Amino acid sequence: MTLDLNIWISKLRWWKHQVKVRSNNLEFIKALTKGQLVKTKIQDHGKNNQIKVDHAVLKRTSVHIQGDCCLIEIGEDTLLDNCKFFLSGNNQIVKIHAKGRIRNTSFWLEDGNNRIEIGSGTSIEGAHLAATEPDGCIELGEDCMLSYDIDIRNGDSHSILSLDKKERINYAKDVKIDNHVWIGAHSIILKGCHIGKDNVIGTGSVLSHLSTPPNCLIAGVPGKIIKNDITWDRDRLKWSKSVLKD
C-alpha cells in the first residue's frame, strides 16, 4: 500500500506523540491527518470503517472498532481527553459536533445500527454513554453541561422476562436530551427519557421513562420535577438587586 506524503508526515508526528493506529483502510488513516492526536490508540478490526476528525484534538483516547461500516465523526475545535470508544457490530455511528469539550467519557455501542450524537458546544467532565441494543439512539443537544460520574444508557444489557409467558419485558428505548441541559454529578439517565431544553438535573438523580417539558428542575430517586419556570447559566452570576430584595 502506498501512502501519500501528508500521511507519512502525520505518522512521524504520531510517533512523537505516542499514537498507535492499526488499520488496513487507507481512507480511514487519511481522515485522521486533519486532527491532532496525542497518546491515542486506534484499532480498526473491520471493513469500510471511518473516523473523520475535523481539526479536533484527541488526547489519551482509545478507539476499538469490531465491525463493519462504522463511523466516528469529531467536529471542528472539539477536544477529547481520556475518552474511550468501543463499537461492536455493524453500522455504528458516533457524532460529536463542533466545539465540544469532552473528558473522561466512554462511548459504548453494541449489536449494530446504533447512534450516539452530541450537539455542538456541549461539555462533559465524565460519563458513560451506552447504546446496548440494535437500532437504538442516544442524543444530547447543543450547549449541554454534564458533570462527572454520569451514566446514560438506552437499555439494560440483559433480559427481564415475565414469569408466566417467559416474554421479554425490558426492551431498549431511545434517550433524547434537548439543548442546554445541565446534568449534575452521579446522575443516571435510563431508557425512554426525553429531557426538555433548559432543564437542570440535580446531583444523584435517577431518571427512567421520564419525559419533561422545558425549563424544569428535576431531582430525586426516582427523578421528578420539583420546580418549573427555571433556566441556568454556565457563569457563576453575582447576586442582583432584585434577588437581594426577595
Side-chain angles (χ1 to χ4, degrees), residues 36-163:
Q36 180 180 347
L37 281 65
V38 179
K39 295 184 179 179
T40 290
K41 183 177 181 180
I42 298 173
Q43 298 183 69
D44 171 22
H45 297 289
K47 299 177 181 178
N48 301 316
N49 296 313
Q50 299 182 68
I51 295 183
K52 297 181 179 179
V53 181
D54 185 7
H55 300 94
V57 177
L58 280 65
K59 296 173 59 179
R60 302 184 298 162
T61 291
S62 66
V63 177
H64 185 101
I65 301 176
Q66 191 75 46
D68 300 333
C69 303
C70 297
L71 170 65
I72 298 174
E73 190 170 320
I74 313 298
E76 185 177 7
D77 193 30
T78 288
L79 168 66
L80 299 180
D81 187 4
N82 194 33
C83 293
K84 297 180 180 179
F85 294 81
F86 179 82
L87 282 62
S88 175
N90 301 331
N91 303 303
Q92 308 281 36
I93 297 174
V94 179
K95 288 189 177 182
I96 301 173
H97 292 270
K99 300 184 185 301
R101 296 292 180 267
I102 301 173
R103 299 176 173 86
N104 311 311
T105 294
S106 59
F107 300 84
W108 191 278
L109 296 84
E110 293 182 287
D111 289 358
N113 299 298
N114 288 301
R115 177 170 60 91
I116 296 178
E117 187 163 357
I118 298 177
S120 61
T122 287
S123 63
I124 304 176
E125 290 301 318
H128 176 66
L129 283 67
T132 60
E133 297 188 30
D135 306 305
C137 179
I138 296 175
E139 293 184 26
L140 274 72
E142 298 179 358
D143 193 29
C144 291
M145 183 172 70
L146 280 63
S147 186
Y148 64 95
D149 189 30
I150 292 169
D151 195 359
I152 301 174
R153 56 178 59 240
N154 74 334
D156 302 328
S157 296
H158 308 285
S159 299
I160 299 175
L161 309 177
S162 63
L163 193 59

Side-chain angles (χ1 to χ4, degrees), residues 239-246:
W239 293 103
S240 66
K241 292 182 179 179
S242 61
V243 172
L244 291 174
K245 288 180 180 178
D246 294 341

Side-chain angles (χ1 to χ4, degrees), residues 184-233:
H186 315 299
S187 294
I188 300 174
I189 300 177
L190 301 174
K191 61 185 179 182
C193 285
H194 182 184
I195 309 303
K197 69 176 183 177
D198 297 314
N199 277 199
V200 176
I201 299 175
T203 299
S205 299
V206 178
L207 282 55
S208 179
H209 294 90
L210 181 67
S211 181
T212 67
N215 304 103
C216 294
L217 175 59
I218 306 160
V221 181
K224 61 181 181 180
I225 297 172
I226 61 174
K227 191 173 182 62
N228 294 292
D229 301 320
I230 63 97
T231 188
W232 62 276
D233 195 291

